[in-house]
Amino acid sequence: MDVVSLERYRSAVARRRSVPRRAAQLPTFYFDIHSPYTYLAAERADRMFAGLQWVPATSRALSRGTVICELERANIARRAEALGMPIVWPVETPTRGPGAMRVASLAAEQGLGAEFVLAAGRLVFCGGYSADDPEILAEAAAAAGIDWQDMLKAVGDAERDLAGEEVGRRLVAAGADRLPALRVGRTLYCGEDRLHEAAAARVSA
């Protein structure tokens, strides 16, 4: 029987602890920044899940909540009231302009996804501003700690759209029908109303 050096064992354990868990093992929050459902979910998701990954996703099949009829607005307003969250609808109907999602992509790359999504959500759905207004994007980026020059480059980078579309296609293929969606392990939980279900699955995993 081989005798393991205690020093070598301790070094190996230290190395394993220093390596982050694979991305697939971390809970992942897929969002569309234009959606009020993302706003309703984002702060709770940030509190509920340690090490949460923030990933922007775009797809027509997942666009529920970005074009809203009056009845759905009323339902969302009631849901916001039940959650104790203010909601102020943007003066302009939320669009699917690419700027906000491109900056969200940059924020996610820099590990600032939560900061940017929370800041943008508050400005849009508490302040009533348009998500793609350059001044609002700049303010949300500054609040998240994103360099303004990096933000400007991201706004003009059309290649960033491709990544979000690919994520959206993969989600649809996996059975997602709306955003936000949370992946815990191999399971997708779609909709802001399933956060507690996802959190319970995380605890029991």
Side-chain angles (χ1 to χ4, degrees):
M1 181 178 67
D2 293 333
V3 176
V4 178
S5 163
L6 180 59
E7 190 60 36
R8 286 172 56 193
Y9 171 77
R10 286 174 173 168
S11 297
V13 169
R15 285 196 300 272
R16 286 198 299 271
R17 288 177 176 172
S18 68
V19 176
R21 291 179 296 175
R22 291 180 303 168
Q25 295 176 316
L26 294 172
T28 304
F29 183 73
Y30 300 98
F31 65 87
D32 184 334
I33 207 148
H34 298 95
S35 170
Y37 294 104
T38 290
Y39 161 68
L40 293 179
E43 295 202 30
R44 287 181 293 141
D46 188 46
R47 291 195 302 268
M48 289 178 178
F49 295 89
L52 185 64
Q53 295 189 107
W54 295 69
V55 178
T58 54
S59 168
R60 288 185 179 181
L62 300 174
S63 62
R64 174 184 171 187
T66 57
V67 179
I68 308 166
C69 67
E70 288 302 317
L71 178 60
E72 191 166 9
R73 280 196 180 200
N75 290 335
I76 292 168
R78 282 193 291 272
R79 177 62 173 159
E81 183 177 8
L83 293 170
M85 298 179 67
I87 188 161
V88 176
W89 295 104
V91 176
E92 298 179 5
T93 301
T95 66
R96 292 201 60 81
M101 290 296 276
R102 290 175 182 175
V103 179
S105 170
L106 171 66
E109 286 177 5
Q110 296 184 349
L112 299 171
E115 290 83 351
F116 179 73
V117 174
L118 295 179
R122 290 164 185 162
L123 286 166
V124 175
F125 294 107
C126 290
Y129 299 101
S130 170
D132 289 297
D133 184 311
E135 291 185 8
I136 298 308
L137 277 180
E139 189 168 340
I146 299 170
D147 180 80
W148 71 273
Q149 290 183 322
D150 290 342
M151 183 212 73
L152 288 177
K153 290 178 183 176
V155 168
D157 186 359
E159 289 189 6
R160 289 186 174 276
D161 301 341
L162 302 178
E165 291 167 4
E166 176 59 25
V167 171
R169 283 192 291 270
R170 292 203 306 268
L171 287 173
V172 171
D177 61 354
R178 54 183 166 155
L179 292 173
L182 259 163
R183 183 183 293 279
V184 177
R186 295 183 179 181
T187 304
L188 269 176
Y189 299 86
C190 300
E192 62 82 20
D193 55 336
R194 298 191 70 193
L195 285 183
H196 284 287
E197 186 181 349
R202 175 69 171 169
V203 170
S204 62

